[in-house]
Amino acid sequence: MLEDQWTMSDKPDEGDETSILVQTRPKTKRPPLYKVLLLNDDYTPMEFVVHVLERFFGMTHAQAFEIMLIVHKKGVAVVGVFSHEIAETKVGQVMDFARRHQHPLQCTMEREE
């Protein structure tokens, strides 16, 4: 018989309970998001701001025009919310584009709360 082949150390105790090891997964946090802000100035033409919003933020002309007016009236507007890397890239693209066209347009980012 099979049972005869077991030595005492190999034989499972019949009174032992089976224990199950449960591994819990650590909860993963979503990475923080960052708001990209466009700041008003007295020199950058409104048409240029609209063009920037269309080109770098994928807005329609109507959306871009509306955001441009908010920037103009309030001094600042959130133009998008992105991961850190994407926000950083967008800010760099806008700043480089404005500089190449000799406009003082400012674009910044801040962590969303």
Side-chain angles (χ1 to χ4, degrees), residues 33-105:
L33 295 176
Y34 290 79
K35 298 184 283 190
V36 175
L37 307 164
L38 214 52
L39 307 174
N40 189 42
D41 64 72
D42 294 331
Y43 303 101
T44 305
M46 292 179 174
E47 302 81 36
F48 184 79
V49 175
V50 169
H51 179 69
V52 163
L53 293 168
E54 290 171 344
R55 179 173 178 159
F56 297 106
F57 298 95
M59 295 183 187
T60 65
H61 186 76
Q63 291 168 326
F65 191 82
E66 191 175 319
I67 297 292
M68 177 276 297
L69 286 177
I70 293 170
V71 172
H72 181 70
K73 291 176 183 174
K74 295 188 176 182
V76 65
V78 175
V79 296
V81 179
F82 308 96
S83 69
H84 185 271
E85 293 78 16
I86 293 174
E88 201 170 49
T89 300
K90 298 260 186 208
V91 168
Q93 288 173 329
V94 170
M95 295 296 291
D96 289 345
F97 190 70
R99 209 168 319 152
R100 280 198 317 268
H101 289 85
Q102 299 177 344
H103 294 300
L105 182 65

Coordinates of all heavy atoms in Angstrom, one line a residue, residues 33-105:
L33 N -1.9 64.9 -11.0 CA -2.2 65.6 -12.2 C -1.7 67.1 -12.1 O -1.7 67.6 -11.0 CB -3.6 65.5 -12.6 CG -4.1 64.1 -12.9 CD1 -5.6 64.1 -13.2 CD2 -3.4 63.5 -14.1
Y34 N -1.4 67.7 -13.2 CA -0.9 69.0 -13.2 C -1.8 69.9 -14.1 O -2.0 69.5 -15.3 CB 0.6 69.1 -13.6 CG 1.4 68.5 -12.5 CD1 1.6 67.1 -12.4 CD2 2.1 69.3 -11.6 CE1 2.3 66.6 -11.4 CE2 2.9 68.8 -10.6 CZ 3.0 67.4 -10.5 OH 3.8 66.9 -9.5
K35 N -2.1 71.1 -13.7 CA -2.8 72.0 -14.5 C -1.8 72.8 -15.3 O -0.8 73.3 -14.8 CB -3.6 73.0 -13.6 CG -4.7 72.3 -12.8 CD -5.5 73.3 -12.0 CE -4.7 73.9 -10.8 NZ -5.5 74.7 -9.9
V36 N -2.1 73.0 -16.6 CA -1.3 73.9 -17.4 C -2.1 75.2 -17.5 O -3.3 75.2 -17.8 CB -1.1 73.3 -18.8 CG1 -0.4 74.3 -19.7 CG2 -0.3 72.0 -18.7
L37 N -1.4 76.3 -17.2 CA -2.0 77.6 -17.1 C -1.4 78.5 -18.2 O -0.2 78.5 -18.4 CB -1.7 78.2 -15.7 CG -2.1 77.4 -14.5 CD1 -1.5 77.9 -13.3 CD2 -3.6 77.4 -14.4
L38 N -2.2 79.3 -18.8 CA -1.8 80.3 -19.7 C -2.0 81.7 -19.0 O -3.1 81.9 -18.5 CB -2.7 80.2 -21.0 CG -2.0 80.6 -22.3 CD1 -0.7 79.8 -22.5 CD2 -2.9 80.2 -23.5
L39 N -1.0 82.5 -19.1 CA -1.1 83.8 -18.4 C -1.2 85.0 -19.4 O -0.6 85.0 -20.5 CB 0.2 84.0 -17.6 CG 0.6 82.9 -16.6 CD1 1.9 83.2 -16.0 CD2 -0.5 82.7 -15.6
N40 N -2.0 86.0 -19.0 CA -2.2 87.1 -19.9 C -1.0 88.1 -19.8 O -0.3 88.1 -18.9 CB -3.4 87.9 -19.4 CG -3.8 89.0 -20.3 OD1 -3.9 88.8 -21.5 ND2 -4.2 90.1 -19.8
D41 N -0.8 88.7 -21.0 CA 0.2 89.8 -21.0 C -0.4 90.9 -21.9 O -1.4 90.6 -22.6 CB 1.6 89.3 -21.5 CG 1.5 88.8 -22.9 OD1 1.4 89.6 -23.9 OD2 1.6 87.5 -23.1
D42 N 0.2 92.0 -22.0 CA -0.3 93.1 -22.8 C 0.2 93.2 -24.2 O -0.1 94.1 -24.9 CB 0.0 94.5 -22.1 CG -0.7 94.6 -20.7 OD1 -1.8 94.0 -20.6 OD2 -0.2 95.3 -19.9
Y43 N 1.0 92.2 -24.6 CA 1.7 92.3 -25.9 C 1.3 91.1 -26.9 O 1.3 91.4 -28.1 CB 3.2 92.3 -25.7 CG 3.6 93.5 -24.8 CD1 3.9 93.3 -23.5 CD2 3.6 94.8 -25.3 CE1 4.2 94.3 -22.7 CE2 4.0 95.8 -24.5 CZ 4.3 95.6 -23.2 OH 4.6 96.7 -22.4
T44 N 1.1 89.9 -26.4 CA 0.8 88.8 -27.3 C -0.6 89.0 -27.9 O -1.6 89.2 -27.2 CB 0.8 87.5 -26.5 OG1 2.1 87.4 -25.8 CG2 0.6 86.3 -27.4
P45 N -0.6 88.9 -29.3 CA -1.9 89.1 -29.9 C -2.9 88.0 -29.6 O -2.5 86.8 -29.4 CB -1.6 89.0 -31.4 CG -0.1 89.3 -31.5 CD 0.5 88.8 -30.2
M46 N -4.2 88.3 -29.5 CA -5.2 87.4 -29.2 C -5.2 86.2 -30.2 O -5.4 85.1 -29.8 CB -6.6 88.0 -29.1 CG -6.7 89.0 -28.0 SD -8.4 89.8 -28.0 CE -8.3 90.7 -26.5
E47 N -5.0 86.5 -31.5 CA -5.0 85.5 -32.5 C -3.9 84.5 -32.3 O -4.1 83.3 -32.6 CB -4.8 86.1 -33.9 CG -5.9 87.2 -34.3 CD -5.6 88.6 -33.7 OE1 -4.4 89.0 -33.6 OE2 -6.5 89.3 -33.3
F48 N -2.8 85.0 -31.8 CA -1.7 84.0 -31.5 C -2.0 83.1 -30.4 O -1.8 81.9 -30.5 CB -0.4 84.8 -31.2 CG 0.8 83.9 -31.0 CD1 1.5 83.4 -32.1 CD2 1.2 83.6 -29.7 CE1 2.6 82.6 -31.9 CE2 2.3 82.7 -29.5 CZ 3.0 82.3 -30.6
V49 N -2.7 83.6 -29.4 CA -3.1 82.8 -28.2 C -4.1 81.7 -28.7 O -4.0 80.5 -28.4 CB -3.7 83.6 -27.1 CG1 -4.3 82.7 -26.0 CG2 -2.7 84.6 -26.5
V50 N -5.0 82.1 -29.5 CA -6.0 81.2 -30.1 C -5.3 80.1 -30.9 O -5.6 78.9 -30.8 CB -7.1 81.9 -31.0 CG1 -7.9 80.9 -31.8 CG2 -7.9 82.8 -30.1
H51 N -4.3 80.5 -31.7 CA -3.6 79.5 -32.5 C -2.8 78.5 -31.6 O -2.8 77.3 -31.9 CB -2.6 80.3 -33.4 CG -1.7 79.3 -34.2 ND1 -2.2 78.6 -35.3 CD2 -0.4 79.0 -34.1 CE1 -1.3 77.9 -35.8 NE2 -0.1 78.1 -35.1
V52 N -2.2 79.0 -30.5 CA -1.5 78.1 -29.6 C -2.5 77.1 -28.9 O -2.1 75.9 -28.8 CB -0.8 79.0 -28.4 CG1 -0.4 78.1 -27.2 CG2 0.4 79.7 -29.0
L53 N -3.6 77.6 -28.6 CA -4.6 76.7 -27.9 C -5.1 75.6 -28.9 O -5.3 74.4 -28.5 CB -5.8 77.5 -27.4 CG -5.4 78.4 -26.2 CD1 -6.6 79.3 -25.9 CD2 -5.1 77.5 -25.0
E54 N -5.3 76.0 -30.2 CA -5.7 75.0 -31.2 C -4.5 74.0 -31.5 O -4.8 72.8 -31.5 CB -6.0 75.7 -32.5 CG -7.3 76.5 -32.4 CD -7.5 77.4 -33.6 OE1 -6.6 77.7 -34.4 OE2 -8.6 77.9 -33.8
R55 N -3.3 74.5 -31.6 CA -2.2 73.7 -32.0 C -1.7 72.8 -30.9 O -1.5 71.6 -31.2 CB -1.1 74.6 -32.5 CG 0.2 73.9 -32.9 CD 1.2 74.8 -33.5 NE 2.4 74.0 -33.8 CZ 3.3 74.4 -34.7 NH1 3.1 75.6 -35.3 NH2 4.4 73.7 -34.9
F56 N -1.6 73.3 -29.7 CA -0.9 72.5 -28.7 C -1.9 71.8 -27.7 O -1.5 70.9 -27.0 CB 0.1 73.3 -27.9 CG 1.2 73.8 -28.7 CD1 1.3 75.1 -29.1 CD2 2.2 72.9 -29.1 CE1 2.3 75.6 -29.9 CE2 3.2 73.4 -29.9 CZ 3.3 74.7 -30.3
F57 N -3.2 72.2 -27.7 CA -4.2 71.7 -26.8 C -5.4 71.0 -27.5 O -6.3 70.6 -26.9 CB -4.6 72.7 -25.8 CG -3.4 73.2 -24.9 CD1 -2.7 74.3 -25.3 CD2 -3.0 72.4 -23.8 CE1 -1.6 74.7 -24.5 CE2 -1.9 72.8 -23.1 CZ -1.2 74.0 -23.4
G58 N -5.3 71.0 -28.9 CA -6.3 70.3 -29.7 C -7.7 70.9 -29.6 O -8.7 70.2 -29.7
M59 N -7.8 72.2 -29.3 CA -9.1 72.8 -29.1 C -9.6 73.3 -30.5 O -8.9 73.5 -31.4 CB -9.0 74.1 -28.2 CG -8.6 73.8 -26.8 SD -8.6 75.3 -25.8 CE -7.9 74.7 -24.3
T60 N -11.0 73.3 -30.6 CA -11.6 73.9 -31.8 C -11.4 75.4 -31.7 O -11.0 75.9 -30.7 CB -13.1 73.6 -31.8 OG1 -13.7 74.3 -30.7 CG2 -13.4 72.1 -31.7
H61 N -11.6 76.1 -32.8 CA -11.5 77.5 -32.8 C -12.4 78.2 -31.8 O -11.9 79.1 -31.1 CB -11.8 78.1 -34.2 CG -11.5 79.5 -34.4 ND1 -10.2 80.0 -34.5 CD2 -12.3 80.6 -34.4 CE1 -10.2 81.3 -34.5 NE2 -11.5 81.7 -34.5
A62 N -13.6 77.7 -31.7 CA -14.6 78.3 -30.7 C -14.1 78.1 -29.3 O -14.1 79.0 -28.5 CB -15.9 77.7 -30.9
Q63 N -13.6 76.9 -29.0 CA -13.1 76.6 -27.6 C -11.9 77.5 -27.3 O -11.8 78.1 -26.2 CB -12.7 75.1 -27.5 CG -13.8 74.2 -27.5 CD -13.3 72.7 -27.6 OE1 -12.3 72.4 -28.3 NE2 -14.0 71.8 -27.0
A64 N -11.0 77.6 -28.3 CA -9.8 78.3 -28.1 C -10.1 79.8 -27.9 O -9.5 80.5 -27.1 CB -8.8 78.1 -29.3
F65 N -11.0 80.3 -28.7 CA -11.4 81.7 -28.6 C -12.0 82.0 -27.2 O -11.7 83.0 -26.6 CB -12.4 82.1 -29.7 CG -12.7 83.6 -29.8 CD1 -11.8 84.4 -30.5 CD2 -13.8 84.1 -29.2 CE1 -12.0 85.7 -30.6 CE2 -14.0 85.5 -29.3 CZ -13.1 86.3 -30.0
E66 N -12.8 81.1 -26.7 CA -13.4 81.3 -25.4 C -12.4 81.3 -24.3 O -12.4 82.1 -23.4 CB -14.4 80.1 -25.1 CG -15.3 80.3 -23.9 CD -16.4 79.2 -23.8 OE1 -16.9 78.8 -24.9 OE2 -16.6 78.7 -22.7
I67 N -11.4 80.3 -24.3 CA -10.4 80.3 -23.3 C -9.5 81.5 -23.4 O -9.1 82.1 -22.4 CB -9.5 79.0 -23.5 CG1 -10.3 77.8 -23.2 CG2 -8.3 79.1 -22.6 CD1 -10.8 77.6 -21.8
M68 N -9.2 82.0 -24.6 CA -8.4 83.2 -24.8 C -9.1 84.4 -24.1 O -8.4 85.2 -23.5 CB -8.2 83.5 -26.3 CG -7.5 84.7 -26.6 SD -8.5 86.2 -26.7 CE -9.6 85.9 -28.0
L69 N -10.4 84.5 -24.2 CA -11.1 85.6 -23.6 C -11.0 85.5 -22.1 O -10.9 86.5 -21.4 CB -12.6 85.6 -24.0 CG -12.8 86.1 -25.5 CD1 -14.3 86.0 -25.8 CD2 -12.3 87.5 -25.6
I70 N -11.1 84.3 -21.5 CA -10.9 84.1 -20.1 C -9.5 84.6 -19.7 O -9.4 85.3 -18.7 CB -11.2 82.6 -19.7 CG1 -12.6 82.3 -19.9 CG2 -10.8 82.4 -18.2 CD1 -13.0 80.8 -19.8
V71 N -8.5 84.2 -20.4 CA -7.1 84.6 -20.1 C -7.1 86.1 -20.1 O -6.5 86.8 -19.2 CB -6.1 84.0 -21.1 CG1 -4.7 84.6 -20.9 CG2 -6.1 82.5 -20.9
H72 N -7.6 86.7 -21.2 CA -7.6 88.2 -21.3 C -8.3 88.9 -20.2 O -7.8 89.9 -19.7 CB -8.2 88.5 -22.7 CG -8.2 90.0 -23.0 ND1 -7.1 90.7 -23.3 CD2 -9.2 90.9 -23.0 CE1 -7.4 91.9 -23.5 NE2 -8.7 92.1 -23.4
K73 N -9.5 88.4 -19.8 CA -10.3 89.1 -18.8 C -9.8 88.8 -17.3 O -9.8 89.7 -16.5 CB -11.8 88.7 -18.9 CG -12.4 89.2 -20.2 CD -13.8 88.7 -20.3 CE -14.4 89.2 -21.6 NZ -15.8 88.7 -21.8
K74 N -9.5 87.5 -17.1 CA -9.1 87.1 -15.7 C -7.6 87.1 -15.4 O -7.2 87.0 -14.3 CB -9.7 85.8 -15.4 CG -11.2 85.8 -15.4 CD -11.8 84.5 -14.8 CE -13.3 84.6 -14.8 NZ -13.9 83.5 -14.2
G75 N -6.8 87.1 -16.5 CA -5.4 87.1 -16.3 C -4.7 85.8 -16.4 O -3.5 85.6 -16.6
V76 N -5.5 84.7 -16.2 CA -5.0 83.4 -16.2 C -6.2 82.4 -16.5 O -7.3 82.7 -16.2 CB -4.3 83.0 -14.9 CG1 -5.3 83.0 -13.8 CG2 -3.6 81.7 -15.0
A77 N -5.8 81.3 -17.1 CA -6.9 80.2 -17.3 C -6.2 78.9 -17.4 O -5.0 78.8 -17.9 CB -7.6 80.5 -18.6
V78 N -6.9 77.9 -16.9 CA -6.4 76.5 -17.0 C -6.7 76.0 -18.4 O -7.9 76.1 -18.9 CB -7.1 75.6 -16.0 CG1 -6.7 74.1 -16.2 CG2 -6.8 76.0 -14.6
V79 N -5.7 75.6 -19.2 CA -5.9 75.1 -20.5 C -5.9 73.6 -20.7 O -6.1 73.1 -21.8 CB -4.9 75.8 -21.5 CG1 -5.2 77.3 -21.5 CG2 -3.5 75.6 -21.1
G80 N -5.6 72.9 -19.6 CA -5.6 71.5 -19.6 C -5.0 70.9 -18.4 O -4.4 71.6 -17.6
V81 N -5.3 69.6 -18.1 CA -4.9 68.9 -16.9 C -4.2 67.6 -17.4 O -4.9 66.8 -18.1 CB -6.0 68.6 -15.9 CG1 -5.5 67.9 -14.7 CG2 -6.7 69.9 -15.5
F82 N -3.0 67.4 -17.0 CA -2.2 66.3 -17.6 C -1.3 65.6 -16.5 O -1.1 66.2 -15.4 CB -1.3 66.8 -18.7 CG -2.0 67.6 -19.8 CD1 -2.0 69.0 -19.7 CD2 -2.7 66.9 -20.8 CE1 -2.7 69.7 -20.7 CE2 -3.3 67.7 -21.8 CZ -3.3 69.1 -21.7
S83 N -0.7 64.5 -16.9 CA 0.3 64.0 -16.0 C 1.5 64.9 -16.0 O 1.6 65.8 -16.9 CB 0.8 62.6 -16.6 OG 1.5 62.8 -17.8
H84 N 2.4 64.7 -15.1 CA 3.6 65.7 -14.9 C 4.4 65.8 -16.2 O 4.7 66.9 -16.7 CB 4.5 65.2 -13.8 CG 5.6 66.2 -13.5 ND1 6.8 66.1 -14.2 CD2 5.7 67.2 -12.7 CE1 7.6 67.1 -13.8 NE2 6.9 67.8 -12.9
E85 N 4.7 64.7 -16.9 CA 5.5 64.7 -18.1 C 4.8 65.4 -19.2 O 5.4 66.1 -19.9 CB 5.9 63.2 -18.5 CG 6.8 62.5 -17.5 CD 6.1 62.0 -16.3 OE1 4.8 61.9 -16.2 OE2 6.8 61.7 -15.3
I86 N 3.5 65.1 -19.4 CA 2.8 65.7 -20.5 C 2.7 67.2 -20.3 O 2.9 68.0 -21.2 CB 1.5 65.0 -20.8 CG1 1.7 63.6 -21.3 CG2 0.6 65.8 -21.7 CD1 0.5 62.7 -21.4
A87 N 2.3 67.6 -19.0 CA 2.2 69.0 -18.7 C 3.5 69.8 -18.9 O 3.5 70.8 -19.5 CB 1.7 69.2 -17.2
E88 N 4.6 69.1 -18.5 CA 5.9 69.7 -18.7 C 6.2 69.9 -20.2 O 6.7 71.0 -20.6 CB 6.9 68.8 -18.0 CG 8.2 69.5 -17.7 CD 9.1 68.5 -16.8 OE1 9.2 67.3 -17.2 OE2 9.6 69.0 -15.8
T89 N 5.9 68.9 -21.0 CA 6.1 69.0 -22.4 C 5.3 70.1 -23.1 O 5.8 70.9 -23.9 CB 5.8 67.6 -23.1 OG1 6.6 66.6 -22.5 CG2 6.0 67.7 -24.6
K90 N 4.0 70.2 -22.7 CA 3.1 71.2 -23.2 C 3.6 72.6 -22.9 O 3.7 73.5 -23.8 CB 1.7 71.1 -22.7 CG 1.1 69.8 -23.1 CD 0.2 69.9 -24.3 CE -0.6 68.6 -24.5 NZ -0.9 68.5 -25.9
V91 N 4.0 72.8 -21.6 CA 4.6 74.1 -21.2 C 5.8 74.5 -22.1 O 5.9 75.6 -22.6 CB 4.9 74.1 -19.7 CG1 5.7 75.4 -19.3 CG2 3.6 74.1 -18.9
G92 N 6.7 73.5 -22.2 CA 7.9 73.7 -23.0 C 7.6 74.1 -24.5 O 8.2 75.0 -25.1
Q93 N 6.6 73.4 -25.0 CA 6.3 73.6 -26.4 C 5.7 75.0 -26.6 O 6.1 75.7 -27.6 CB 5.2 72.6 -26.9 CG 5.8 71.2 -27.1 CD 4.7 70.2 -27.4 OE1 3.5 70.3 -26.9 NE2 5.0 69.1 -28.1
V94 N 4.8 75.4 -25.7 CA 4.2 76.7 -25.8 C 5.2 77.8 -25.6 O 5.3 78.8 -26.4 CB 3.0 76.9 -24.8 CG1 2.5 78.3 -24.7 CG2 1.9 75.9 -25.1
M95 N 6.1 77.7 -24.6 CA 7.1 78.7 -24.4 C 8.1 78.8 -25.6 O 8.4 79.9 -26.0 CB 7.9 78.3 -23.1 CG 7.0 78.4 -21.8 SD 6.3 80.0 -21.5 CE 7.8 80.9 -21.0
D96 N 8.5 77.7 -26.1 CA 9.4 77.7 -27.3 C 8.7 78.4 -28.5 O 9.4 79.2 -29.2 CB 9.9 76.3 -27.6 CG 10.8 75.7 -26.6 OD1 11.4 76.5 -25.8 OD2 11.0 74.5 -26.7
F97 N 7.5 78.0 -28.7 CA 6.8 78.5 -29.9 C 6.6 80.0 -29.7 O 6.8 80.8 -30.7 CB 5.4 77.8 -30.0 CG 4.6 78.1 -31.2 CD1 5.1 77.6 -32.4 CD2 3.5 78.9 -31.2 CE1 4.3 77.8 -33.6 CE2 2.7 79.1 -32.3 CZ 3.2 78.6 -33.6
A98 N 6.2 80.5 -28.5 CA 6.0 81.9 -28.3 C 7.4 82.7 -28.5 O 7.4 83.7 -29.1 CB 5.5 82.2 -26.9
R99 N 8.4 82.1 -27.9 CA 9.7 82.8 -28.0 C 10.2 82.9 -29.5 O 10.7 83.9 -29.9 CB 10.8 81.9 -27.3 CG 11.9 82.8 -26.7 CD 12.7 82.0 -25.7 NE 11.8 81.2 -24.9 CZ 12.0 80.1 -24.3 NH1 13.2 79.5 -24.3 NH2 11.1 79.5 -23.6
R100 N 10.0 81.8 -30.3 CA 10.3 81.8 -31.7 C 9.6 82.8 -32.5 O 10.1 83.3 -33.5 CB 10.1 80.4 -32.3 CG 11.2 79.4 -32.0 CD 11.2 78.2 -33.0 NE 9.8 77.7 -33.3 CZ 9.3 76.7 -32.6 NH1 9.9 76.1 -31.6 NH2 8.1 76.2 -33.0
H101 N 8.3 83.1 -32.0 CA 7.5 84.2 -32.7 C 7.6 85.5 -32.0 O 6.8 86.4 -32.2 CB 6.1 83.7 -32.8 CG 5.9 82.6 -33.8 ND1 6.1 81.2 -33.4 CD2 5.6 82.6 -35.1 CE1 5.9 80.5 -34.5 NE2 5.6 81.3 -35.5
Q102 N 8.6 85.6 -31.1 CA 8.9 86.9 -30.4 C 7.7 87.4 -29.6 O 7.5 88.6 -29.6 CB 9.5 87.9 -31.3 CG 10.8 87.4 -32.0 CD 11.3 88.4 -33.0 OE1 10.6 89.3 -33.5 NE2 12.6 88.2 -33.3
H103 N 7.0 86.5 -28.9 CA 5.9 86.9 -28.0 C 6.2 86.6 -26.6 O 6.8 85.5 -26.3 CB 4.6 86.3 -28.4 CG 4.1 86.7 -29.8 ND1 3.8 88.0 -30.1 CD2 3.8 85.9 -30.9 CE1 3.4 88.0 -31.4 NE2 3.4 86.8 -31.9
P104 N 5.8 87.4 -25.6 CA 6.2 87.2 -24.2 C 5.2 86.2 -23.5 O 5.1 86.2 -22.3 CB 6.1 88.6 -23.6 CG 5.1 89.3 -24.4 CD 5.3 88.8 -25.8
L105 N 4.4 85.5 -24.3 CA 3.3 84.6 -23.7 C 4.0 83.7 -22.7 O 5.0 83.1 -22.9 CB 2.7 83.8 -24.8 CG 1.5 82.9 -24.4 CD1 0.3 83.7 -23.8 CD2 1.1 82.0 -25.6

